[in-house]
Structure formats: structure tokens, C-alpha cells
Amino acid sequence: MKATFTDYLLSGLAITLIMAASIAGVMLVLPWSRALFAEYHVLVDFFLALLLYGLLSAAFVRILLRLQPIPVGSYGMDSPVFTRWKLVTIAYRLGQSALRPLTPVFLKPVVETLFGARIGRNVALGGVIDDPYMVAVGDGSVLGNASLVSGNFISGGLLTCGQVKIGRDVTVGANSVIFPDTEIGDGATLIGGAYVMPGSRIAAGEVWRGNPARKWVQAANIRLSDRE
């Protein structure tokens, strides 16, 4: 992936700004933390700095996307969209990393929501969401361990961005990968290890598996139709 001086400059400025604001927040409450926690205030201040960095990173990303969203489409390495995408990506990944020690697994959907994902109630998130601002997950869905839902892929020197829409009560098996520009209907199931390719449309209640993923007609159903 091509990186330019502009990328380093913008990323460095963003990280410095967010870090400075986080440190300023810690210094603001330092007298109270010293009074309340005595010699343990250093540990409390450290975790407070992580929390502030994560929250401020989320605010930074949301503001950037509000001012100029990442549009759906394919873009070359020299495109301004590619430059903005890299800045947003660095900001949200560092922000999520800062929040990780403070967020148990059942709070992962909350973190993704902070960075722009639209996640419903009672969602179990065991995997990773890449480009969360491109992803929507309906109520009651389960994203299995080590699964990846990605709003982008890079191939042939092009960055491709697209929406991912996952309906209600969808089960995404462990180690599955869902690429951008995909829609998965309510109650659908992805068998573990399935790779849902760009442009795929999975209807409600269907079961898909494989790489690339395809609709699965179970052997029992085939045998039943043969007898008829």
C-alpha cells in the first residue's frame, strides 16, 4: 500500500492532537485522582488517558466522516479519497486499540458503534469489523470468533469501498470473511470459513458456505427430492 509524505504528515498531526487533548484531560483531573487514589493514581491516570484517547479518536473520526464521507467506489493510490481513507483508518484503529484493555467482549459492539457502525441490540461480536462506518448489523446477529466484516479491500492498486448490510438474527460462522458491497438477509447463516465475495446478495433464511461462498442445498433435501 502506497504511503506518501502527506499521509505521514496528516496522521502525525491527528495523533499528536488527540494525544495532547488526552493528556490535557488527565492533567485536569490529576489533583482529584491523587487525592482519591494516593500512590495508585498513576495507574488510574494511565487508564484514563487510554479512555480519553479512544473517545477523542472516535469523535475525530465521526467529525471527519461528517465533513467528507468515504464514498462507495474504487479509487487509485493517488486519489484524495485513498488519502482520507488512510487517515480515518489510522485514527479508528489506534482509538480502538486504546479502548481494548477497557472493553470486555460484550462491549465490543459499543466500541464499533462509537466509530460509526450501525449495530442493533443483542449482537454478539467475536470477530473484527473493518471500516465500521460502512457496516450495519441487525438485532440478535452473531459474528463468530475470528470472523471479518470488511468495508474495503485493496487489489490491483485500487481501494474498493462498499457497504455491508447484515440483517437480524444472522449467524456468521467462525473464520468467515464478508467483503464490501454485500447484503445478508434476516435469519441467514454462514457456515464457518465462508468467504462472501463483493456483490453477493444472500436472501433471508439461506445457508451459504465455501470460498467463494455459495448457497448450500443440504444433502438431506437433495435425497428427499430424489425420492420424489
Side-chain angles (χ1 to χ4, degrees):
M1 183 171 65
K2 180 180 178 181
T4 66
F5 174 76
T6 301
D7 296 326
Y8 291 113
L9 178 62
L10 292 175
S11 300
L13 287 174
I15 293 169
T16 301
L17 177 64
I18 296 169
M19 188 174 297
S22 302
I23 294 173
V26 172
M27 296 302 294
L28 188 63
V29 301
L30 186 57
W32 288 277
S33 67
R34 282 177 173 169
L36 289 172
F37 302 103
E39 66 270 20
Y40 298 105
H41 80 89
V42 175
L43 187 61
V44 174
D45 295 340
F46 172 73
F47 285 109
L48 177 60
L50 290 181
L51 177 62
L52 289 174
Y53 188 92
L55 295 177
L56 290 171
S57 296
F60 177 77
V61 168
R62 299 295 288 266
I63 290 170
L64 280 181
L65 294 174
R66 177 64 64 89
L67 294 174
Q68 203 163 23
I70 304 297
V72 170
S74 296
Y75 307 95
M77 296 286 183
D78 296 320
S79 168
V81 174
F82 191 75
T83 300
R84 291 204 312 275
W85 175 83
K86 285 184 282 188
L87 176 60
V88 170
T89 299
I90 289 171
Y92 87 72
R93 286 186 177 174
L94 288 178
Q96 288 186 341
S97 296
L99 291 173
R100 192 165 294 127
L102 307 171
T103 50
V105 65
F106 60 85
L107 288 179
K108 287 179 70 175
V110 176
V111 174
E112 299 295 349
T113 300
L114 285 174
F115 290 90
R118 291 158 291 164
I119 297 183
R121 295 172 296 176
N122 303 318
V123 170
L125 177 53
V128 175
I129 294 179
D130 204 9
D131 289 3
Y133 48 89
M134 290 285 188
V135 176
V137 183
D139 296 345
S141 291
V142 176
L143 278 60
N145 186 50
S147 60
L148 170 63
V149 180
S150 181
N152 78 84
F153 67 89
I154 298 175
S155 178
L158 292 176
L159 165 72
T160 299
C161 298
Q163 301 287 336
V164 178
K165 298 178 181 178
I166 299 174
R168 298 187 302 274
D169 300 315
V170 172
T171 300
V172 177
N175 299 301
S176 296
V177 177
I178 302 174
F179 286 104
D181 186 28
T182 53
E183 295 183 13
I184 302 176
D186 297 345
T189 299
L190 298 181
I191 302 299
Y195 275 57
V196 181
M197 305 308 288
S200 297
R201 301 292 184 265
I202 299 177
E206 290 185 347
V207 178
W208 283 41
R209 68 174 184 173
N211 179 12
R214 294 287 186 270
K215 184 178 178 181
W216 183 29
V217 179
Q218 299 184 41
N221 292 338
I222 295 175
R223 288 195 297 269
L224 181 59
S225 62
D226 289 341
R227 291 175 184 173
E228 295 175 349

